[in-house]
Amino acid sequence: MTDATANTPRPKTSLIEVDARTKRRNAAEARFKAYGITAIAIGLLFLVVLLGSIIANGVGAFQQTFVNVPVYLDPAKLDKKGNRNIEEMKKVSTFGYNPLIQQGLLDKVTELGIETPLQKRKEMKAMLSASAAAQVRDFVLANPDKLGETVEFKLLAASRVDGYLKDRVQREDVARDKNIDAEHLDLTDELVKAGVVAKTFNISFITGADASESRAEQAGIGVAMLGSFFMMIVVLVLSLPIGVAASIYLEEFAPKNRWTDLIEVNISNLAAVPSIVFGILGLAVFIQFMHLPQSAPIVGGLVLTLMTLPTIIISTRASLKSVPPSIRDAALGVGASKMQSVFHHVLPLAMPGILTGTIIGLAQALGETAPLLLIGMVGYIATNVPDGIAAGFLDPNSAMPAQIYEWAKRADPAYYERAWGGIIILLVFLLTMNIIAIILRRRFERRW
Amino acid sequence: MTQNETKISANGVQVFYGDTHAIKDVDVQIEDKTVTAFIGPSGCGKSTFLRCLNRMNDTIDICRVEGKITIDGDDIYDKRVDPVQLRAKVGMVFQKPNPFPKSIYDNIAYGPRIHGLAKNKAELDEIVEKSLRRGAIWDEVKDRLDAPGTGLSGGQQQRLCIARAVATEPEVLLMDEPCSALDPIATAQVEELIDELRSNYSVVIVTHSMQQAARVSQKTAFFHLGNLVEFGETGKIFTNPEDPRTESYITGRIG
Ligand SMILES: Nc1ncnc2c1ncn2[C@@H]1O[C@H](COP(=O)(O)OP(=O)(O)OP(=O)(O)O)[C@@H](O)[C@H]1O
Ligand SMILES: [Mg+2]
């Protein structure tokens, strides 16, 4: 506006008629809204595509094909001396069980009257997971009195058979596959009809341990989940108190001088350091210098603590800063000490922000893979659930994201499916943590 | 008017906010059992000086206080003085109402609790009721002591803050424009309270209302641009000021 127009009186206009200037402003506003809606729509579209593809690819991992096989537990083979001595029965390895299982399946096929060119016992091997023998052996060693009986087992089908039922394995592929032939697929079709082979919900994917490269059907994420869990405990127990105490000190007590400025700059810088750097730091300090065990969740937790601390400190300081200074004055004004004003008034008000920051930091740590690569938490590590709390922290283990990375790396497409399944579980965890953050925030939020 | 003992004595007080010289060489004697009013145009340093008296300026990093302020002869800026103890003695009502985001009851009970003024719940209840009555707000809130203090209206919040300040039984009460958000009825009640407090305490009140200063105070200090221009009996300041600046201010020509 120029001075000249300011002095001339405004021409009288009707309120009913929208003038050109207002029209232009309204148009600009409408355009801006349209941009916003477009941006959100694009975001939602990507989200839908992402979730859709994750679920489509991963849902298969939650189902697994099983074969119901009656196995005759032949005492002549499994307990040669006939005295039911467990120690001696243990001498029979899984190799001793394979023929019995394969025979059982063959008998079942014959009994059902299925016509198949596969008439040799050995040819049944391709139908079953290599883990089947171990499953039967464990059963026999636990129930030696069942020897001599025919017991119906629900055994894992071979990964190819499972893949065939999930459309992962096509008939064309089988020609080049030395593990399985087209006849096996025909037999599978027949057995599905007969109800001997069936896909069911696969709880052991959620609770089980990783398996070797060739036994994708057996692999589960449960042990890695425990690894993640123990790491998160370390992260929470260390980073929450240290982070909150450091923030309170810096924000409320520390004198504002060059040193605290320097510390502040350093904390902000640390938050931006790539996580792999923390990994190599962890390797050098915790493993090579302090000689903590390799691949152990405690080391992973320490490394992730280093990574999470800056995040927690920054968000805690931000939420402490957002508490109005008048509240501090009010407390000091009635004669509260600095500490009382912080703990009675400031901290409760900052709590929602602190908790949200902490949970977001934890969620970040939960999904972090890079530093774990360097401290050896990746690879085929843990075959068993850790026995006890100490073992949970100290025994070699993996973590969910590292396990997913490991599976995605393996050649067998069955593992690819499991990687996607693992991602679903990881996302469920992250979602749960975010929901907890929101609930806590609601619960603690207060007006002032 | 009888001469009371000096409660607070300030000598050569200077306050700096960084490079801003907010209070310039102020000497003032605040008497016991007396209401002293600080008047002056906005930004002249009334709040700043008031905050020196209970060392609330300590919380502002860039603030520097020089000179000597004593309460009952003790230098409050002495190294051995714990400002927390000082503030229990010298209560304060702030310019902007700042209740705790807690219940009305807890707002009042907080001070007595941390100072251990009540032995049991009944005593605490009693203190809360008495303080709320003195703050002229009891009738409005007696049925909702559990409601948040922040849910009250601006004027009610200010009276809550007054009640909170008197609950700890301070010896000196500093009030920074306590009535700026109050209606005439509540103002009258607060003025009554101030008058009542005078029998035991020393009260310092900052106000922009000349009438209020004239009504409640016995002594008046006029600040202008960080200087204490004139200090004396309220009656004299309002009827026969010595300094021309004081005169133009109270007659409404500067401010
Ligand atoms: N926290 C601060 N930081 C920097 N300068 C400040 C601060 N508080 C006050 N000042 C400055 O000190 C001077 C006095 O401020 P003060 O708040 O004491 O004025 P006042 O007399 O209380 O005014 P009002 O009547 O408007 O409340 C002003 O110039 C102000 O800008
Ligand atoms: Mg002021």
Side-chain angles (χ1 to χ4, degrees):
Chain A
M1 278 283 155
T2 59
D3 288 350
T5 51
N7 291 334
T8 49
R10 267 174 161 243
K12 279 230 175 353
T13 52
S14 158
L15 270 181
I16 306 297
E17 239 168 89
V18 178
D19 65 16
R21 201 182 167 76
T22 312
K23 260 187 211 141
R24 252 182 292 137
R25 283 195 302 211
N26 290 350
E29 191 172 316
R31 273 200 306 278
F32 178 75
K33 279 190 200 158
Y35 296 149
I37 291 172
T38 320
I40 290 171
I42 293 174
L44 280 181
L45 182 76
F46 277 115
L47 187 68
V48 168
V49 170
L50 183 76
L51 283 181
S53 67
I54 289 174
I55 290 172
N57 281 308
V59 89
F62 293 90
Q63 293 221 312
Q64 198 64 44
T65 308
F66 289 91
V67 190
N68 295 307
V69 190
V71 179
Y72 173 58
L73 304 174
D74 188 353
K77 295 261 171 54
L78 304 180
D79 185 21
K80 295 204 175 81
K81 296 215 172 114
N83 55 10
R84 300 291 187 268
N85 183 326
I86 296 287
E87 287 311 312
E88 284 184 15
M89 283 163 68
K90 276 191 183 157
K91 288 195 181 127
V92 181
S93 71
T94 51
F95 287 111
Y97 286 83
N98 274 327
L100 297 179
I101 298 168
Q102 289 156 11
Q103 188 62 49
L105 182 55
L106 188 60
D107 291 347
K108 183 86 189 174
V109 171
T110 322
E111 180 198 319
L112 289 166
I114 298 169
E115 279 187 32
T116 167
L118 307 168
Q119 289 300 336
K120 289 207 209 88
R121 198 188 69 201
K122 279 250 163 70
E123 285 167 331
M124 291 295 131
K125 182 172 178 241
M127 298 293 293
L128 291 162
S129 162
S131 71
Q135 189 187 336
V136 176
R137 181 170 178 265
D138 289 345
F139 175 82
V140 169
L141 293 179
N143 308 286
D145 51 312
K146 293 277 190 208
L147 274 185
E149 292 175 28
T150 300
V151 179
E152 174 112 358
F153 284 98
K154 191 179 166 195
L155 300 173
L156 274 170
S159 150
R160 297 294 193 282
V161 171
D162 180 54
Y164 175 62
L165 292 184
K166 288 176 183 166
D167 293 332
R168 186 177 68 230
V169 174
Q170 306 295 336
R171 281 179 177 268
E172 305 83 82
D173 310 336
V174 170
R176 282 175 280 116
D177 196 329
K178 64 177 168 36
N179 289 315
I180 197 162
D181 296 322
E183 289 80 22
H184 290 110
L185 300 186
D186 296 334
L187 178 60
T188 305
D189 285 336
E190 293 298 327
L191 287 173
V192 169
K193 270 187 224 144
V196 174
V197 171
K199 267 195 306 187
T200 57
F201 180 69
N202 182 18
I203 186 77
S204 67
F205 174 64
I206 300 172
T207 58
D210 192 15
S212 70
E213 290 256 12
S214 58
R215 291 190 195 175
E217 68 278 1
Q218 204 192 352
I221 201 167
V223 174
M225 225 189 267
L226 279 179
S228 280
F229 171 76
F230 283 108
M231 283 201 314
M232 287 307 112
I233 289 189
V234 174
V235 175
L236 185 68
V237 163
L238 290 179
S239 64
L240 184 63
I242 297 180
V244 171
S247 320
I248 291 179
Y249 177 74
L250 283 175
E251 198 55 44
E252 306 283 339
F253 294 94
K256 305 274 174 287
N257 56 27
R258 232 180 302 151
W259 288 111
T260 44
D261 282 351
L262 190 73
I263 290 172
E264 181 153 1
V265 169
N266 271 309
I267 290 173
S268 313
N269 281 342
L270 277 181
V273 168
S275 54
I276 196 142
V277 176
F278 287 107
I280 204 153
L281 182 78
L283 175 65
V285 175
F286 297 128
I287 295 179
Q288 289 168 351
F289 178 70
M290 290 166 66
H291 297 292
L292 288 173
Q294 223 166 335
S295 313
I298 186 150
V299 178
L302 287 170
V303 170
L304 293 178
T305 301
L306 294 182
M307 218 192 74
T308 318
L309 262 178
T311 317
I312 293 188
I313 293 181
I314 288 172
S315 67
T316 304
R317 291 190 65 180
S319 41
L320 288 174
K321 261 200 196 95
S322 72
V323 175
S326 64
I327 300 289
R328 296 179 178 82
D329 284 351
L332 297 180
V334 294
S337 68
K338 187 97 201 178
M339 178 119 172
Q340 285 171 326
S341 91
V342 170
F343 281 87
H344 295 164
H345 300 286
V346 178
L347 208 51
L349 289 175
M351 217 52 190
I354 295 175
L355 288 175
T356 318
T358 307
I359 291 178
I360 287 174
L362 277 186
Q364 249 175 29
L366 183 70
E368 195 56 65
T369 326
L372 306 184
L373 303 182
L374 289 167
I375 54 168
M377 291 192 74
V378 72
Y380 175 42
I381 304 170
T383 40
N384 289 312
V385 176
D387 49 348
I389 308 267
F393 287 114
L394 295 170
D395 281 3
N397 203 336
S398 190
M400 280 195 278
Q403 184 71 74
I404 292 166
Y405 166 76
E406 179 64 24
W407 283 343
K409 221 170 50 164
R410 290 181 188 166
D412 190 338
Y415 269 119
Y416 188 63
E417 176 189 271
R418 288 190 132 59
W420 284 99
I423 286 173
I424 292 181
I425 293 187
L426 187 60
L427 285 182
V428 167
F429 269 82
L430 294 179
L431 213 66
T432 317
M433 288 172 80
N434 283 337
I435 289 173
I436 292 174
I438 291 171
I439 292 174
L440 286 176
R441 194 184 189 102
R442 289 265 161 83
R443 165 103 15 123
F444 280 96
E445 205 136 70
R446 268 178 267 183
R447 295 184 311 124
W448 61 76
Chain B
M1 194 156 281
T2 55
Q3 186 68 33
N4 290 309
E5 274 174 52
T6 301
K7 183 76 183 172
I8 303 177
S9 143
N11 287 303
V13 174
Q14 316 253 10
V15 182
F16 302 86
Y17 289 112
D19 293 333
T20 319
H21 198 169
I23 292 288
K24 296 161 190 158
D25 202 15
V26 167
D27 296 292
V28 97
Q29 316 294 320
I30 290 164
E31 291 167 13
D32 203 7
K33 304 189 201 305
T34 306
V35 178
T36 308
F38 287 179
I39 58 170
S42 186
C44 66
K46 304 179 295 292
S47 300
T48 301
F49 186 69
L50 201 67
R51 292 165 62 92
C52 290
L53 303 181
N54 67 345
R55 287 184 61 174
M56 278 307 283
N57 282 332
D58 290 14
T59 61
I60 300 171
D61 284 312
I62 55 167
C63 186
R64 211 171 75 242
V65 179
E66 285 172 12
K68 186 168 174 162
I69 300 176
T70 59
I71 289 188
D72 295 331
D74 299 331
D75 184 356
I76 64 169
Y77 281 90
D78 191 291
K79 274 195 187 62
R80 285 164 298 177
V81 169
D82 186 343
V84 172
Q85 227 172 325
L86 169 69
R87 290 181 201 130
K89 235 184 203 202
V90 184
M92 182 157 199
V93 177
F94 294 83
Q95 188 161 358
K96 273 182 254 157
N98 54 357
F100 298 128
K102 296 179 185 288
S103 72
I104 292 171
Y105 184 94
D106 286 338
N107 260 284
I108 307 296
Y110 182 68
R113 259 192 210 127
I114 58 172
H115 296 303
L117 299 184
K119 282 191 223 47
N120 50 42
K121 178 84 171 76
E123 266 185 43
L124 195 59
D125 288 348
E126 204 176 301
I127 293 179
V128 169
E129 179 175 343
K130 195 176 100 194
S131 309
L132 286 170
R133 280 190 193 285
R134 294 170 86 180
I137 190 178
W138 171 252
D139 291 327
E140 284 156 78
V141 300
K142 63 174 180 242
D143 301 322
R144 47 172 172 152
L145 293 177
D146 289 332
T150 38
L152 298 171
S153 79
Q156 289 172 326
Q157 290 188 9
Q158 188 62 294
R159 278 177 283 153
L160 182 68
C161 292
I162 294 172
R164 182 177 66 192
V166 296
T168 51
E169 300 286 343
E171 295 171 22
V172 180
L173 189 60
L174 309 175
M175 302 175 111
D176 199 346
E177 297 184 35
C179 300
S180 57
L182 301 190
D183 63 26
I185 300 170
T187 303
Q189 285 168 324
V190 171
E191 286 178 5
E192 217 169 280
L193 165 73
I194 293 172
D195 209 49
E196 179 206 317
L197 290 173
R198 182 161 67 92
S199 53
N200 291 311
Y201 311 127
S202 154
V203 179
V204 183
I205 176 170
V206 172
T207 175
H208 279 293
S209 156
M210 298 306 116
Q211 291 89 334
Q212 184 172 50
R215 276 196 303 268
V216 298
S217 71
Q218 289 77 52
K219 291 278 175 119
T220 297
F222 172 62
F223 287 81
H224 184 59
L225 299 175
N227 296 303
L228 177 66
V229 174
E230 199 166 343
F231 177 58
E233 300 287 339
T234 301
K236 179 161 179 300
I237 295 251
F238 280 97
T239 52
N240 188 15
E242 274 168 20
D243 198 288
R245 286 171 293 179
T246 318
E247 185 174 2
S248 25
Y249 181 71
I250 55 177
T251 53
R253 265 178 283 140
I254 57 170

